[in-house]
Amino acid sequence: MNLIFLGPPGAGKGTQAQRLIALLGIPQLSTGDILRKAVAAGTELGRKAKAIMEAGNLVPDEVVNGIIDDALSKPEQAGGFLLDGFPRTVAQAEALDAMLAKRGKKIDHVLALEVGKDVLVGRLSGRETCPKCGASYHTTSQPTKVKGLCDKCGSHVVSRADDAPERVRQRLVEYESKTSLLTGYYEKQGVVRHIDGVGTLDEVGQRILRAIGK
Ligand code: AMP
């Protein structure tokens, strides 16, 4: 099954994606995670992306399209995949359709996670992630058992530089102006499933499973 998670920053895409890939046994492809790893490793890709990401702007389409085209060529993706954070513009969605078509594949479901702006800002400002294993937490709604340490692997959790309030506002502007148009793009293909993203992790997780017929 080939899935896309759509939704504004803070809608819960990353968290729900982790649960879903474990259940379905398919890999998650997150352009944000791939870019953050490249920045941490100081690769050429990371050097190109660092300042753009810290400002909360979008990395150029050709850069992220290249990341996804490479990833789709790997055998791990043959049995399905879940895209999180890509596509983010209509041009990326068109490029993705071409990449899939040449491999005889298509998108089965676009999961549009819907959450109001006030909830988003609150969620993002307390968000913490583990740089080592990728687990995500929130200082009030889902705190680590020991303050500052990952429950799963014991590493120090970090807040993302782009979760600072002024960066969050810029990311929401980018979302409204570019990414929200994608819902219309995929509506035309009849694959959009609207999911209420407000509720407990389990409640939202159940809604997602129902939407994809599981
Ligand atoms: P995310 O973890 O998905 O919120 O992504 C973090 C940041 O990485 C974004 O604010 C962008 O700067 C960059 N990024 C991730 N995915 C994309 C994409 N598909 N297109 C452009 N920039 C992206």
Side-chain angles (χ1 to χ4, degrees), residues 125-128 137-144:
S125 55
R127 184 157 82 164
E128 293 178 328
Y137 302 95
H138 190 279
T139 45
T140 49
S141 64
Q142 203 197 347
T144 52

Side-chain angles (χ1 to χ4, degrees), residues 58-81:
L58 293 186
V59 173
D61 287 343
E62 61 274 16
V63 175
V64 282
N65 291 348
I67 293 175
I68 293 296
D69 204 16
D70 282 352
L72 289 177
S73 301
K74 302 210 169 109
E76 299 90 286
Q77 266 61 252
F81 54 79

Side-chain angles (χ1 to χ4, degrees), residues 169-187:
R169 273 191 289 278
Q170 178 55 25
R171 287 163 66 207
L172 289 172
V173 167
E174 286 281 48
Y175 180 80
E176 289 297 336
S177 67
K178 296 177 185 149
T179 312
S180 62
L181 303 175
L182 281 180
T183 320
Y185 179 88
Y186 284 114
E187 291 282 11

Side-chain angles (χ1 to χ4, degrees), residues 31-32 35-36 53 57 59 64 85-86 88 92 160 171:
T31 37
L35 289 166
R36 274 185 291 280
M53 291 174 75
N57 294 321
V59 173
V64 282
F86 182 94
R88 257 184 163 87
Q92 291 178 15
R160 283 169 45 171
R171 287 163 66 207

